[in-house]
Amino acid sequence: MVKLVYFAWVRERIGKSDEEIELPGDVRTVGDLLTHLKTRGEGYELALAVPRAIHVAIDQQHCQHSDPIGNASEIALFPPMTGG
Amino acid sequence: MTPAPRVKVQTEDFDLQKEIDDLTGANSNIGAVVSFCGLCRDEQGTLDALELEHYPGMAEAEMTRLAEEAIKRWSLDGVSIIHRHGKITPGDNIVLVLTASVHRQAAFEAASFLMDFMKSKAPFWKRELLKDGQIGSWVDAREADDDALERWQ
């Protein structure tokens, strides 16, 4: 099981702020995860329509879509950041 | 040895002078403190407030990583970063970066570096609450902010 957390418009479009899911064995990279999540429903499809707009953090560290998920316990998906 | 960076994520406002005093403390060999305060604009009178969402835990962790990177690159005697979240009204503070050094150049450059990276790497998101009562859109990231990172490569 891995905990997924969502922020800003990714959270709104998916319709929840977090969830725990079981990842299929063929989901190895962050990119695979995004592709997999898009099959989970309309909200996910809408949130992840433009994958390159989605930033991902594994266990609270920024990562690339090509990075392996490994033994991540928490994966966060969010839009480009607008703090400061 | 640079003291550990001071990093805070909070809803309440901060007091600039108090933060400077806390940063410089008993170190009387500091010759320069650079401060950057980011404020909430009213967008020509249309904005009632900003609602700032953040990723608790990662926000502090990422701000600490950025501060540690600045300490590696420049000779600094202290770094302090505060970022507020929640509802923030025009004229209010949003973010504070303080850098302290013996001479001014390190403090200037490190403060600029930190703000450039805070914009694009610290997990905060702004949403506009408009004067007419509407919940406006999430603020779009600016390409200029990404471009700003390149000069530090």
Side-chain angles (χ1 to χ4, degrees):
Chain A
M1 295 288 274
V2 62
K3 184 181 183 191
L4 301 177
V5 290
Y6 311 120
F7 293 96
W9 54 253
V10 173
R11 169 177 55 71
E12 288 184 335
R13 290 175 191 177
I14 289 176
K16 55 185 102 173
S17 57
D18 61 272
E19 62 185 323
E20 292 207 3
I21 69 165
E22 197 75 59
L23 293 180
D26 59 352
V27 172
R28 293 195 177 85
T29 66
V30 169
D32 294 341
L33 172 67
L34 297 182
T35 306
H36 169 67
L37 287 176
K38 277 211 257 184
T39 65
R40 287 173 60 90
E42 242 176 71
Y44 294 87
E45 242 177 84
L46 183 65
L48 309 175
V50 184
R52 65 188 166 78
I54 305 297
H55 288 245
V56 180
I58 294 180
D59 294 331
Q60 308 196 346
Q61 294 226 40
H62 290 297
C63 65
Q64 306 293 321
H65 288 193
S66 56
D67 287 346
I69 287 171
N71 293 321
S73 51
E74 181 174 291
I75 304 177
L77 275 61
F78 44 82
M81 290 143 281
T82 54
Chain B
M1 199 46 198
T2 312
R6 308 162 63 87
V7 165
K8 287 184 274 189
V9 175
Q10 61 190 41
T11 53
E12 62 270 27
D13 196 11
F14 49 80
D15 180 84
L16 177 59
Q17 190 58 53
K18 181 182 181 303
E19 296 302 329
I20 293 176
D21 292 345
D22 288 352
L23 184 69
T24 55
N27 183 349
S28 50
N29 198 41
I30 290 172
V33 174
V34 167
S35 66
F36 174 88
C37 290
L39 279 67
C40 176
R41 284 184 297 267
D42 74 356
E43 304 294 356
Q44 289 84 45
T46 60
L47 188 87
D48 186 45
L50 285 175
E51 182 73 38
L52 268 116
E53 179 169 335
H54 77 297
Y55 183 175
M58 180 171 170
E60 292 86 343
E62 185 64 20
M63 288 158 68
T64 303
R65 284 192 284 268
L66 295 175
E68 284 168 349
E69 179 64 25
I71 288 167
K72 251 190 254 168
R73 288 189 180 212
W74 288 277
S75 178
L76 297 172
D77 291 282
V79 173
S80 182
I81 311 177
I82 301 176
H83 204 302
R84 296 179 65 199
H85 65 94
K87 194 173 171 183
I88 295 180
T89 51
D92 284 357
N93 294 313
I94 300 175
V95 63
L96 173 71
V97 165
L98 294 178
T99 51
S101 56
V102 177
H103 300 288
R104 71 183 181 282
Q105 192 177 0
F108 269 129
E109 289 180 7
S112 184
F113 165 90
L114 282 169
M115 271 317 301
D116 282 351
F117 278 82
M118 284 289 290
K119 286 292 235 189
S120 300
K121 300 290 183 195
F124 290 84
W125 300 271
K126 291 185 183 120
R127 195 215 310 250
E128 295 181 323
L129 306 175
L130 303 176
K131 270 263 159 65
D132 60 12
Q134 299 283 312
I135 295 180
S137 46
W138 292 95
V139 172
D140 276 330
R142 300 168 65 230
E143 260 177 51
D145 288 337
D146 271 342
D147 295 346
L149 302 189
E150 283 170 21
R151 69 188 174 117
W152 302 108
Q153 301 301 316

